[in-house]
């Protein structure tokens, strides 16, 4: 079901003129990473969060 919803969102965005999609997925969320890989996605970059020192 989730695969269908994600694919539908991607296809629907294409119908509205979107040429790319960039979901933010946590590196430990293996099911989501597999899903987007199956849908043709590849990792683009990773975020780094900077916080003040304690």
């Amino acid at each position: 079901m989730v695969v269908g919803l994600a694919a539908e969102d991607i296809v629907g965005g294409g119908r509205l003129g979107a040429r790319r999609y960039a979901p933010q997925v946590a590196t430990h969320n293996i099911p989501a990473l597999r899903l987007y890989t199956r849908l043709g996605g590849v990792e683009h970059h990773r975020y780094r969060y900077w916080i003040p020192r304690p």
Side-chain angles (χ1 to χ4, degrees):
M1 180 174 162
V2 174
V3 173
L5 291 174
E8 187 175 311
D9 286 347
I10 293 167
V11 170
R15 286 191 195 119
L16 295 173
R19 293 182 295 155
R20 296 180 184 189
Y21 67 98
Q24 183 174 344
V25 180
T27 56
H28 64 272
N29 189 344
I30 303 303
L33 294 171
R34 287 183 182 150
L35 167 64
Y36 287 113
T37 298
R38 281 182 30 200
L39 295 173
V42 295
E43 183 176 320
H44 183 273
H45 68 278
R46 294 184 184 204
Y47 285 101
R48 294 193 182 234
Y49 296 95
W50 294 83
I51 59 172
R53 291 183 187 182

